[in-house]
Amino acid sequence: MAARGGRGVVRDEPAHRARPRRQAGLLAGQGRGGGDGRARHRRRAMSGDGIRLLGPDGERVPHPEYAIDPDAGQLRSLYRDMALARRFDAEGVTLQRQGELGLWPSLLGQEAAQVGSVRALAEGDRAFPSYREHAVALGRGVDPLALLRLFRGVDNGAWDPDAHDFHLYTLVIGSQTLHATGYAWGMARDGSENAVVAYFGDGAASQGDVSEAFNFAAVYDAPIVFFCQNNQWAISEPNARQTRVPLYQRAQGFGFPGVRVDGNDVLAVLAVTRAALEHVRAGRGPYLIEAFTYRMGAHTTSDDPTRYRDAAEVESWRAKDPLLRLERLLRREGAADDAFFAEVSAEGETLAARVREGVRTMPSPAPGALFDHVYAGAHPGVDRERAEFAAYQASFAEEG
């Protein structure tokens, strides 16, 4: 769904050599000048939600360091990706409620964080997701039905990470940050100019795995952007009980920079992620982005958020809806009309119908398939267990 960028020049510097990390500006001109004018711009562009380029009312907010100016076609493309991701996600919730899926973790409210970040990736950059990054998966070209097969229990994730530069979903909280760090370090040692983005949530930030990943990445200058989607709730635990300081500030303790961005502002997320990727590709070590957003729905379809959070809180965040925000910009600037939004809506319904039919007609795997691919080749222990299981299955037919 999202356009993929090109490749640059491979770094000549040996990847294993320690390189000085600088916390200077990420874009041209950053760190120069200053004065009251810049301070005023920064105050206007910063809020408690982080760096912002687009306000909730659809008004552009200038920023001296993270300035981007997408054309009307690019803005429409960003909206389309966000809208289709939201419609696909809603269908996932519906399918689970109808008993077609075992579980579904909704991304509702986090579309801008995911679409903006995946749009910043270049070809060959690798994304390591948690289990809610559906928009990132779609942006990397993963078939939506491949995601649904996982939550239907048909397979354990059947897409090819190498074909999509998108790793498999990770249900063990925070462990993907270690996998991503090791992969990024390996890429650097191979002389690649590409980078890695590791997605995780605010709850995962309390896991020791994440701190280990931060430390290793900093020590070895791994070209990795840690992308934390702070959606305010780790299941039923609020962010205030997870940390005493803003999450992006944790990077300072490990010796690399971090920044908070308004995670409901797709333009700001795109600009900040691009800048962070430039930083890590330049051999200056890792970078932490805290995308300040909100989980509008339940943690998963097995959760009831009304038991632990106020309706007023949800409504306050609903006013910051990332999709509505971009729609207001498009209408304000005359970049889209009713016909465009109707077309996107119709495309979303077509997508929903396709995945709905695909799930309902999805064949179940043969019971014995669970023994396949345990090892690359034959294994006597697995062969024996397969035979025992086949005999067990056959005993039911005999009794019938």
Side-chain angles (χ1 to χ4, degrees):
M1 291 171 62
R4 306 275 288 278
R7 293 179 177 270
V9 179
V10 177
R11 293 194 298 265
D12 294 329
E13 183 179 7
H16 64 276
R17 185 182 301 161
R19 297 181 293 277
R21 293 185 298 277
R22 295 183 293 137
Q23 297 190 29
L26 300 183
L27 299 182
Q30 184 178 346
R32 302 172 185 169
D36 293 339
R38 269 180 64 95
R40 283 195 299 271
H41 277 300
R42 183 176 290 106
R43 284 195 298 270
R44 187 178 175 193
M46 280 292 291
S47 69
D49 294 350
I51 293 167
R52 175 176 291 171
L53 300 181
L54 182 61
D57 60 354
E59 178 187 6
R60 288 183 186 264
V61 181
H63 196 287
E65 300 170 10
Y66 297 97
I68 61 171
D69 188 23
D71 60 31
Q74 291 169 328
L75 290 173
R76 288 193 297 268
S77 181
L78 288 168
Y79 179 89
R80 174 184 175 273
D81 282 5
M82 291 168 62
L84 293 183
R86 177 170 290 190
R87 184 63 187 89
F88 167 68
D89 177 69
E91 193 61 31
V93 173
T94 299
L95 287 167
Q96 193 283 328
R97 297 305 190 204
Q98 294 173 345
E100 301 290 349
L101 303 178
L103 187 73
W104 185 251
S106 175
L107 64 73
L108 182 63
Q110 299 177 219
E111 296 88 354
Q114 295 189 18
V115 170
S117 60
V118 73
R119 282 295 190 95
L121 297 178
E123 182 181 357
D125 290 343
R126 190 78 162 222
F128 280 74
S130 181
Y131 50 79
R132 200 187 302 274
E133 281 67 52
H134 315 317
V136 180
L138 299 180
R140 294 309 258 178
V142 177
D143 184 352
L145 285 172
L147 302 177
L148 295 170
R149 281 198 295 270
L150 171 63
F151 291 98
R152 189 174 171 84
V154 172
D155 58 41
N156 295 318
W159 60 90
D160 182 357
D162 290 329
H164 300 286
D165 293 323
F166 182 78
H167 201 67
L168 299 178
Y169 274 6
T170 306
L171 301 182
V172 178
I173 305 300
S175 63
Q176 73 276 12
T177 58
L178 290 171
H179 309 156
T181 298
Y183 195 93
W185 185 44
M187 289 170 66
R189 291 182 65 86
D190 287 343
S192 171
E193 86 285 3
N194 285 117
V196 167
V197 174
Y199 292 89
F200 61 101
D202 50 294
S206 295
Q207 295 290 109
D209 297 36
V210 175
S211 292
E212 291 175 23
F214 284 0
N215 189 59
F216 192 99
V219 169
Y220 290 98
D221 286 326
I224 181 171
V225 173
F226 294 104
F227 193 90
C228 175
Q229 293 176 82
N230 180 359
N231 64 16
Q232 311 303 312
W233 288 93
I235 309 183
S236 59
E237 194 76 358
N239 191 241
R241 295 185 180 178
Q242 293 283 318
T243 181
R244 293 291 299 273
V245 299
L247 291 174
Y248 75 93
Q249 293 184 7
R250 291 190 182 183
Q252 299 176 16
F254 293 92
F256 61 92
V259 66
R260 173 181 282 182
V261 62
D262 184 341
N264 286 12
D265 177 353
V266 68
L267 300 186
V269 173
L270 174 59
V272 168
T273 309
R274 278 180 178 171
L277 285 166
E278 289 176 9
H279 174 97
V280 303
R281 289 195 189 102
R284 294 158 64 188
Y287 207 96
L288 172 62
I289 296 174
E290 178 192 359
F292 203 72
T293 183
Y294 194 74
R295 192 194 78 213
M296 293 300 299
H299 177 71
T300 69
T301 46
S302 64
D303 171 43
D304 178 8
T306 63
R307 296 176 62 124
Y308 55 80
R309 68 183 187 188
D310 295 332
E313 176 185 290
V314 178
E315 287 304 310
S316 70
W317 276 92
R318 198 180 303 279
K320 305 176 186 180
D321 185 295
L323 200 60
L324 181 58
R325 185 180 302 197
L326 185 53
E327 178 183 345
R328 286 170 173 163
L329 173 67
L330 288 166
R331 292 187 183 276
R332 175 189 293 270
E333 299 188 350
D337 55 16
D338 289 341
F340 166 76
F341 294 111
E343 178 183 343
V344 172
S345 179
E347 189 175 354
E349 293 307 314
T350 299
L351 171 63
R354 180 171 79 84
V355 298
R356 185 163 56 248
E357 178 64 19
V359 167
R360 290 174 175 173
T361 60
M362 195 175 286
S364 298
L370 64 95
F371 296 97
D372 297 340
H373 312 298
V374 177
Y375 292 94
H379 187 282
V382 175
D383 291 341
R384 182 175 62 254
E385 291 170 353
R386 179 189 290 107
E388 292 173 353
F389 183 74
Y392 173 73
Q393 290 284 311
S395 68
F396 291 100
E398 293 171 0
E399 291 177 4

